Amino acid sequence: MSLSAVLLAAGPSPTPSGTPTAPAVPSLQDAQESATNAASWVQQNWSTWLAIGLRVLLILVIAAVLRAAVRRAITKLIDRMNRAVNPVDGSALGGLLVNVERRRQRSQAIGSVLRSVASFLILGTAALMILSAFEINLAPLLASAGVAGVAIGFGARNLVTDFLSGVFMILEDQYGVGDTIDAGVASGEVIEVGLRVTKLRGDNGEIWYVRNGEVKRIGNLSQGWATAGVDVTVRPNEDLDKVRRTLNEVSEKMSKEEPWNELLWGPIEVLGLDSVLLDSMVVRVSAKTMPGKALTVERELRWRIKRAFDAADIPIVGGAAVATQDEAAADPTAAVAAPSVYANTASPQAEAASPIVQPRPTPK
């Protein structure tokens, strides 16, 4: 006899006319019988509930311990990534190429993604195991989740593509905040890096929002080192030894002055003649610089070369020639043709060249 049957039996019973009567006062024997049935029901089911409770508690403890261990391992891995400095070009300059703040932001982003994924997997598995412990059929739930996942995957495939591209971009450290990149669809300085969208500041101040899934190739202008190149055009009959000597003097002086000694990561080299033409020849000058500082070094190098060439009386040629003040002004009528006699309509030549007008026949 179940506990519900005992309670129902103890409740008020209606009369034949349908009117409930006052509940009868249970006797001591009825109370003893009810207590015996309840104790029997608890004795029959306590082991099942205790087993389920212990199983759920064990699942929660294992999930909590595993989650804490995985998060701690991820934290140690991120800290090791922060301490490790790998030279980019295998030289002593490699340590200067690592931006501490950028590495810290990148490691935090990677750690956050890894910890979130680990927590989702561990807690999701634990929740399914707890439902299974209560003997709940998981087949409809898993089937519904699979159908919903397929529908979401088809509907939000661009979002998934952007997210996965952003994760791999951060893991591979393709670019970071402060880098100047060429993403194909837009170029500029990176001001924000997200898992879905990268924000760029263009040369004219505009802000570009570039989806990570739309980027097919990346040109990073801020990693490694940059090259500053200057072409100097001189006359074809100029003394090349004098030109080289002047350029070397400029290079040595610029390499020893601040702040150029920090921006230059290699000696300024005179590579030689880049081209030789009938009216000019081009001498190529190159230098390895700090990333993003090539244009600044080129401008300063052109300035110094121009001043040094003026002091050494080496003219720089190229483009249209400009007349000096010492030269006599050209006669403005020199290129004007002499007036023609045909310009005067009353001249004999113009009258002789005029067409003969035929007289009109008179009507009869």
Side-chain angles (χ1 to χ4, degrees), residues 35-106:
T36 302
N37 292 332
S40 175
W41 181 82
V42 172
Q43 184 179 6
Q44 292 176 359
N45 296 278
W46 75 272
S47 58
T48 303
W49 288 104
L50 181 60
I52 293 176
L54 291 177
R55 187 180 302 174
V56 171
L57 180 61
L58 182 61
I59 292 173
L60 292 177
V61 170
I62 293 177
V65 172
L66 182 60
R67 179 173 177 267
V70 171
R71 290 174 67 91
R72 184 176 181 182
I74 292 174
T75 302
K76 288 185 176 181
L77 177 63
I78 298 303
D79 293 340
R80 184 175 300 178
M81 289 174 57
N82 283 334
R83 292 192 300 266
V85 178
N86 298 323
V88 178
D89 55 356
S91 63
L93 298 175
L96 299 176
L97 306 180
V98 181
N99 190 313
V100 178
E101 180 64 20
R102 172 182 167 182
R103 287 172 51 238
R104 185 187 65 81
Q105 294 178 359
R106 171 174 169 262

Side-chain angles (χ1 to χ4, degrees), residues 302-343:
R302 292 190 186 99
W303 183 283
R304 292 173 179 261
I305 290 175
K306 179 62 171 66
R307 295 180 61 182
F309 274 27
D310 291 343
D313 195 19
I314 303 176
I316 297 178
V317 301
V322 180
T324 61
Q325 296 180 356
D326 298 336
E327 296 179 357
D331 185 6
T333 61
V336 180
S340 174
V341 294
Y342 292 97

Side-chain angles (χ1 to χ4, degrees), residues 78-144:
I78 298 303
D79 293 340
R80 184 175 300 178
M81 289 174 57
N82 283 334
R83 292 192 300 266
V85 178
N86 298 323
V88 178
D89 55 356
S91 63
L93 298 175
L96 299 176
L97 306 180
V98 181
N99 190 313
V100 178
E101 180 64 20
R102 172 182 167 182
R103 287 172 51 238
R104 185 187 65 81
Q105 294 178 359
R106 171 174 169 262
S107 61
Q108 286 182 353
I110 295 175
S112 176
V113 172
L114 293 180
R115 282 190 287 266
S116 299
V117 172
S119 299
F120 176 78
L121 293 178
I122 294 174
L123 296 181
T125 304
L128 293 178
M129 294 179 66
I130 290 174
L131 294 178
S132 177
F134 283 102
E135 297 182 356
I136 298 177
N137 188 11
L138 299 179
L141 180 62
L142 295 178
S144 302

Side-chain angles (χ1 to χ4, degrees), residues 285-304:
V285 182
S286 178
K288 185 183 293 185
T289 69
M290 182 183 294
K293 300 298 181 181
L295 185 59
T296 304
V297 173
E298 289 177 0
R299 290 170 177 171
E300 181 66 19
L301 194 56
R302 292 190 186 99
W303 183 283
R304 292 173 179 261

Side-chain angles (χ1 to χ4, degrees), residues 219-233:
N220 196 323
L221 307 179
S222 300
Q223 286 186 355
W225 44 266
T227 302
V230 176
D231 293 332
V232 183
T233 306

